[in-house]
Amino acid sequence: MTTLADLIDDPAFDREPPPDALSRLHGLVEDHDPYEFGFLDEYSKREVRRAVLTAVAVPGYQVPFGSREMPVARGWGSGGLQITLGIVGTDDVVKVIDQGEDAGVNAANLRRLIQDVTDVEVTTDAREATIVQTRHRVPEEPLGPDQTLVLQVPVPEPLRGIEKDQRELRRMHGEADYARMWVSLYEDYVRNGVITRTTGYPCMIGGRYVMATTPIPRWDIPKLHQARFLSLFGAGREKRIYAVPPHTDVEPLTFDDVPFEVERTEGAFCALCGAGSPASGVESFLIEVPSADHSRWVCSDTDWCSRRRGGEAVTHTDLVEAGMGDEPDDESEDEA
Amino acid sequence: MGYVAAKGGLEAIRAAEELVRRRRNSGTSPWLETSQLTERLRLAVDRVIGEGGLWAPDLAARAFRQAEGDVIEASHLVRSYRSTLPRLAYSEPVDMDHLEVLRRIVPAYRNPPGPQLLGRTLDYTGRLIDFTPDDVAQAAANCEAPTEAEEGPAADADTASDDAARRPGRLYRMLRDLDLVVDRTNPDDPEPYDITRQPARPGAPRSARLSTMARAETGALVQLWYRNILGPDNHLHEITLGEVRHGHLPVPVAHPRTGRPVAIGRVRVTEVEAIEDLDGIDEDGSRFDVGYGLCFGHNERKAIAMANLDISVHRDRGRSALEQSVLQTTDGLDASGFLEHLKLPHYVTFRSMVERKMARRSDEARGRAQAVHGLGGDEPDPELNNEELCR
Amino acid sequence: MSESTSAGSPTAELSPERRAELLALAPADALVALAEQCLLDDDLVVIAGPEVGMVMLTVREPIALERFHLGEVLVTRAEVERAGARGWCMRLGDDRLATLAAAVLDAEVGARGGQADAVVALCLATERDHDAEAEREWRDLAPTEVRFDELD
């Protein structure tokens, strides 16, 4: 009985064929990069784009899509990353921020990943970017019609706090039955004297769907209303994409006699650029550098803050040296 | 173009990656071959395959090594690699009677049709750490290497050639012949739901649940099962198992020219039938019903939990949140990723929360709250259940 | 399985499907060595691949006889044409060289090329090795069967 071992000793299985043939077979399979442009296979990119188009056509509606597993964990921007990689082209310029910062570890990691798999140009300057992927902020710099904002969404369902059952949630959105949401806001107000919703404030989009504005602060919500730019929201773990197209009404849910309030702290101003001080004439979203006796404040949007200080774009290295990078540095006295 | 490297974070990330790589790959022990993992840590590699949802043993072993033995991290590596690959075909539907068993036990009967075949199992071995010195164990292992001399005539020639021993009839069929189970045959033969292309929501067909559980995290299924046995949810009975099988399953794809099936190879799977005692008022109490579990690799815990949950969701008929729990809380990547995202910076959201805390303390807010409700703004009010929506 | 390798025309013994199954199973180095011999005498057109991808494994569960997707399987696929004959292979794993070689060998049999008999011999040897492995596997497993007194 012939065995495989016998066969391989057979002359027909000569292990040293002429070099021509060897190069022939090997030549046909060389040069294979396991990762293509944009990481996702082309079918998956088309699927993301189809979901995006549906989302744009029905503003505020959460479009289910077959979310792929990405090289970042679910909850770490996998939804935003799928949108960015689904829409990015070779001539795009990408900016990535987390908490308003380009230098944060998560922003740096995502920016590196996008660049590695697409080789597109990246920037920290909001004016140069065609795609801005962000977690928790909308840039202070007003974006224009040729720019797309991609927001990473951890929890896309605005009604989850008042209803857990998904079939009921689908009915509520389908029938625009938001009565319990209004009751919940009313309860909040009478109990606390203010509406205590913090980030991700629920908004009515185009007069039809209530939408979760991701955890962007209330400060950023007016920037989405009748905006000149397209905002795309990607929730990878929950497999939903939704959108606010340009020139769409984004109305925070509140009562006629209870004005919508954004984050403001009396007397706070940026210790670096001065935004927020009466003299500066501009305001920005500030984050606290806490101290028991004397807290100070800085802009969360580091790109905008640095350009204000320089009068134009400055390097991010300058920012790091000024104490806005990873290591807090108390020597920065660059107050406006 | 004004790109300036946002250096601070990136340099730290690079240094951290380098530290992991160096500590994992250096040291005094020999290089860890992936064959060592597939041969000696088979069950860990099987978990990576099962939870990654991709039969690729060498790739799973590579991922397991890269992830320093973290099963969920390794599954993540496999899953994200999946996202780059084209779907070349769907297999022909495999008839599960083609499973060639490596192990098969039937707890419901002492003498079922077909063998009670223990196979490669530690179930009946005392849980005692083996303190045999390494050199002795290694010497013994070398002696046990298979030799030609051992390969005499087949040990049990009559069963070796007997297909019935490798592909025994299943207990479910016998129960049907005895008219002990309700007839669940679905004559519609619906197209299976593809959870990798379309997210599964409550109300999804059973095929979506089975696919979801087949690649769910083992611990999540075990926990959901136990919570329903002992915990607050209580949807499950203690069930009798009909079949517990581990074996080879062929992968048939259509030949491009003839259209007839070609078995291009085989995978290992674990299969379970769980016999449920029907006792609901709207059920046929004179018969049983059966749940089904099937997953890649050798993972009996997972397949048993899956079969139990399959029949429980079927019986529940959407009355409770069990289906939603199965579909949406058992994926290892989803749960772990979201848990770990709490490590990310949250200072924008936290600042917004602090601001609202301060707003509640203002005189106006306290005045309004008291005026409307007769309570101080800081007093908890047990009558209202206004859950926080946002984070 | 077939025991006669000395029959007049061994190519007649294997259906295209069985040939594809055995080429999918055959060891990579044997496939590559033989394919290199084939490529000495003829032109080759690569129609598809060799491409790494996935096959979704669909099963029919035995309770309600419903189909569901168990999970995906990593495969490599290639399709070629030589001397007017198509050759196809899909193998488990991601060995692109071996898959291309197997597709070449599949076409070699279809074209009744000079190495066709050697390809069939490789297939039959693969089958015998597989059967022998199954025997070995059962020899290990059989003693783990729990024996009870038979009721006759």
Side-chain angles (χ1 to χ4, degrees):
Chain A
M1 198 153 74
T2 323
T3 66
L4 268 177
D6 298 337
L7 260 188
I8 289 168
D9 290 338
D10 194 281
F13 292 84
D14 186 353
R15 298 304 204 81
E16 291 179 36
D20 279 0
L22 189 66
S23 60
R24 182 82 198 277
L25 199 59
H26 283 78
L28 289 165
V29 293
E30 68 183 5
D31 290 344
H32 177 66
D33 183 353
Y35 296 113
E36 292 180 32
F37 176 86
F39 180 77
L40 294 166
D41 75 300
E42 288 304 317
Y43 179 94
S44 302
K45 283 186 215 157
R46 277 202 298 277
E47 189 178 313
V48 167
R49 289 196 287 264
R50 278 197 293 269
V52 164
L53 289 173
T54 309
V56 169
V58 192
Y61 171 68
Q62 301 166 47
V63 182
F65 80 114
S67 179
R68 300 295 189 268
E69 285 84 359
M70 301 303 285
V72 299
R74 291 265 165 97
W76 293 57
S78 65
L81 188 60
Q82 283 178 82
I83 292 180
T84 298
L85 295 180
I87 65 173
V88 71
T90 49
D91 52 353
D92 273 307
V93 180
V94 177
K95 170 181 167 77
V96 184
I97 51 174
D98 187 332
Q99 315 292 303
E101 248 191 307
D102 300 273
V105 282
N106 194 46
N109 183 37
L110 286 166
R111 183 190 310 107
R112 177 178 63 155
L113 191 65
I114 292 166
Q115 201 178 20
D116 281 352
V117 299
T118 63
D119 216 20
V120 296
E121 219 158 344
V122 294
T123 183
T124 57
D125 191 330
R127 299 167 304 179
E128 294 172 347
T130 56
I131 298 172
V132 179
Q133 180 169 331
T134 173
R135 176 168 171 268
H136 292 187
R137 280 306 315 275
V138 176
E140 305 289 1
E141 182 79 35
L143 300 181
D146 52 355
Q147 294 180 293
T148 300
L149 186 68
V150 177
L151 296 102
Q152 303 170 198
V153 181
V155 180
E157 180 48 68
L159 308 178
R160 184 155 304 157
I162 54 175
E163 177 56 58
K164 303 288 186 200
D165 185 283
Q166 295 202 348
R167 278 167 293 204
E168 174 63 5
L169 285 169
R170 256 182 288 169
R171 185 199 65 76
M172 289 165 75
H173 282 297
E175 299 175 5
D177 175 5
Y178 297 121
R180 283 165 62 200
M181 182 60 142
W182 287 107
V183 171
S184 137
L185 290 170
Y186 175 74
E187 283 182 358
D188 188 14
Y189 183 73
V190 297
R191 182 178 163 196
N192 300 310
V194 288
I195 292 177
T196 60
R197 300 277 190 279
T198 58
T199 46
Y201 196 93
C203 292
M204 180 67 81
I205 309 301
R208 174 58 181 83
Y209 284 100
V210 168
M211 190 190 87
T213 46
T214 86
I216 58 170
R218 283 160 283 132
W219 175 268
D220 285 337
I221 285 175
K223 297 178 193 163
L224 300 180
H225 177 64
Q226 287 294 331
R228 297 199 304 152
F229 56 93
L230 168 65
S231 297
L232 299 173
F233 299 74
R237 185 178 51 85
E238 302 214 21
K239 306 173 183 66
R240 297 287 184 276
I241 286 174
Y242 52 99
V244 175
H247 311 295
T248 303
D249 286 338
V250 175
E251 299 161 298
L253 297 186
T254 189
F255 302 97
D256 291 345
D257 53 351
V258 180
F260 173 67
E261 293 178 315
V262 302
E263 295 84 351
R264 272 204 184 82
T265 299
E266 197 62 43
F269 60 92
C270 176
L272 293 171
C273 79
S277 70
S280 72
V282 291
E283 288 189 276
S284 77
F285 184 80
L286 300 171
I287 54 170
E288 191 171 2
V289 181
S291 156
D293 52 346
H294 175 56
S295 281
R296 295 193 305 162
W297 300 81
V298 289
C299 293
S300 115
D301 186 335
T302 53
D303 160 57
W304 184 81
C305 180
S306 66
R307 279 189 285 108
R308 257 181 56 74
R309 279 185 292 145
E312 55 183 313
V314 298
T315 68
H316 200 91
T317 313
D318 294 342
L319 279 187
V320 173
E321 285 165 7
M324 298 268 316
D326 290 309
E327 294 155 350
D329 184 344
D330 286 333
E331 290 170 25
S332 63
E333 297 296 334
D334 191 13
E335 297 183 17
Chain B
M1 190 57 59
Y3 173 60
V4 179
K7 273 192 212 156
L10 197 55
E11 278 170 4
I13 292 171
R14 288 211 176 101
E17 284 176 349
E18 177 58 20
L19 181 61
V20 169
R21 196 197 56 75
R22 208 170 54 235
R23 288 294 164 100
R24 183 188 59 212
N25 294 352
S26 64
T28 54
S29 60
W31 179 252
L32 184 56
E33 306 277 352
T34 54
S35 61
Q36 293 226 305
L37 300 172
T38 48
E39 287 175 15
R40 306 194 196 292
L41 300 180
R42 173 183 65 110
L43 297 176
V45 174
D46 279 5
R47 273 192 66 174
V48 175
I49 291 170
E51 293 169 18
L54 181 69
W55 178 268
D58 293 339
L59 195 73
R62 180 175 284 271
F64 186 63
R65 179 178 64 187
Q66 182 180 334
E68 300 184 278
D70 181 336
V71 170
I72 290 182
E73 182 70 19
S75 307
H76 189 174
L77 291 168
V78 170
R79 286 249 197 120
S80 69
Y81 179 58
R82 275 182 61 258
S83 301
T84 69
L85 296 174
R87 170 84 55 79
L88 298 180
Y90 287 88
S91 79
E92 301 290 295
V94 185
D95 179 345
M96 287 309 299
D97 288 351
H98 291 161
L99 184 73
E100 188 180 8
V101 298
L102 291 159
R103 164 168 162 79
R104 187 254 187 164
I105 53 169
V106 178
Y109 287 93
R110 176 170 174 270
N111 294 45
Q116 298 270 17
L117 184 70
L118 302 187
R120 191 170 164 184
T121 182
L122 287 170
D123 279 1
Y124 323 99
T125 307
R127 267 62 172 191
L128 301 167
I129 292 182
D130 184 352
F131 285 109
T132 310
D134 271 16
D135 52 346
V136 177
Q138 214 168 337
N142 292 337
C143 293
E144 284 164 8
T147 59
E148 292 298 315
E150 270 183 274
E151 296 187 20
D156 201 345
D158 56 341
T159 47
S161 57
D162 182 3
D163 205 42
R166 296 308 303 272
R167 296 181 183 83
R170 59 181 60 251
L171 190 73
Y172 177 71
R173 198 147 304 132
M174 195 190 77
L175 296 177
R176 275 185 62 167
D177 292 345
L178 295 170
D179 193 23
L180 276 173
V181 288
V182 294
D183 186 3
R184 285 265 301 283
T185 309
N186 186 343
D188 301 336
D189 193 22
E191 275 304 308
Y193 196 98
D194 189 347
I195 58 164
T196 69
R197 293 289 184 260
Q198 202 185 354
R201 300 194 280 194
R206 176 166 172 254
S207 57
R209 292 203 297 277
L210 293 173
S211 293
T212 300
M213 289 194 282
R215 66 174 198 172
E217 204 232 327
T218 306
L221 290 182
V222 171
Q223 196 276 340
L224 190 56
W225 174 84
Y226 198 52
R227 179 186 165 94
N228 275 281
I229 289 284
L230 281 193
D233 295 343
N234 222 353
H235 293 294
L236 268 70
H237 290 127
E238 209 175 306
I239 268 173
T240 307
L241 295 181
E243 296 274 355
V244 179
R245 297 174 171 213
H246 171 229
H248 300 294
L249 193 66
V251 180
V253 301
H255 194 284
R257 289 191 294 286
T258 69
R260 286 193 288 271
V262 173
I264 59 167
R266 57 189 194 175
V267 301
R268 278 186 299 102
V269 297
T270 305
E271 184 191 38
V272 165
E273 288 175 6
I275 308 168
E276 171 69 308
D277 177 15
L278 298 179
D279 60 358
I281 50 169
D282 54 349
E283 294 177 316
D284 179 358
S286 68
R287 288 181 176 76
F288 297 100
D289 202 346
V290 178
Y292 189 68
L294 183 70
C295 62
F296 276 146
H298 194 184
N299 191 342
E300 293 175 14
R301 274 196 292 274
K302 180 172 174 177
I304 294 169
M306 175 175 169
N308 277 255
L309 290 164
D310 172 47
I311 188 62
S312 301
V313 175
H314 176 72
R315 293 184 68 202
D316 186 54
R317 288 166 220 274
R319 284 183 285 236
S320 79
L322 183 62
E323 180 194 11
Q324 188 169 330
S325 297
V326 165
L327 286 176
Q328 300 194 326
T329 70
T330 57
D331 189 79
L333 264 64
D334 284 359
S336 299
F338 197 48
L339 178 89
E340 295 198 43
H341 108 282
L342 299 175
K343 294 183 282 189
L344 288 175
H346 278 82
Y347 42 80
V348 165
T349 48
F350 193 67
R351 140 52 162 166
S352 185
M353 289 160 70
V354 169
E355 191 267 353
R356 284 290 93 178
K357 296 284 176 214
M358 293 303 162
R360 282 171 68 161
R361 293 181 192 182
S362 73
D363 290 341
E364 296 96 314
R366 293 165 82 103
R368 278 196 296 266
Q370 274 171 342
V372 177
H373 217 251
L375 284 173
D378 292 334
E379 293 296 321
D381 183 346
E383 292 302 308
L384 296 174
N385 182 23
N386 175 26
E387 293 182 54
E388 187 60 54
L389 278 177
C390 314
R391 54 214 84 196
Chain C
M1 302 295 169
S2 170
E3 287 295 315
S4 59
T5 53
S6 55
S9 168
T11 52
E13 291 178 26
L14 290 175
S15 67
E17 295 82 17
R18 186 63 187 149
R19 186 168 76 225
E21 290 178 350
L22 294 170
L23 287 173
L25 206 61
D29 50 0
L31 292 170
V32 172
L34 191 53
E36 281 160 357
Q37 297 291 322
C38 296
L39 291 180
L40 293 179
D41 54 26
D42 211 352
D43 246 355
L44 177 74
V45 180
V46 177
I47 296 168
E51 181 182 23
V52 178
M54 300 180 293
V55 166
M56 177 59 94
L57 181 57
T58 307
V59 303
R60 187 179 295 285
E61 57 79 37
I63 311 301
L65 302 181
E66 290 173 332
R67 287 174 289 155
F68 76 96
H69 298 313
L70 175 63
E72 282 156 318
V73 179
L74 187 73
V75 300
T76 308
R77 174 182 69 181
E79 188 157 16
V80 301
E81 186 177 321
R82 50 188 264 100
R86 287 280 179 106
W88 173 82
C89 179
M90 189 182 272
R91 280 170 67 94
L92 261 51
D94 55 4
D95 189 337
R96 298 161 72 242
L97 187 66
T99 306
L100 182 65
V104 168
L105 298 187
D106 188 41
E108 180 75 3
V109 177
R112 306 212 160 251
Q115 304 290 343
D117 285 354
V119 176
V120 174
L122 172 62
C123 289
L124 295 177
T126 301
E127 187 169 59
R128 276 191 299 275
D129 268 25
H130 180 72
D131 292 348
E133 176 55 36
E135 291 277 332
R136 264 195 301 278
E137 186 175 84
W138 182 247
R139 253 199 307 276
D140 284 346
L141 291 174
T144 71
E145 181 176 351
V146 182
R147 303 282 180 167
F148 298 101
D149 293 336
E150 300 285 341
L151 303 176
D152 286 316

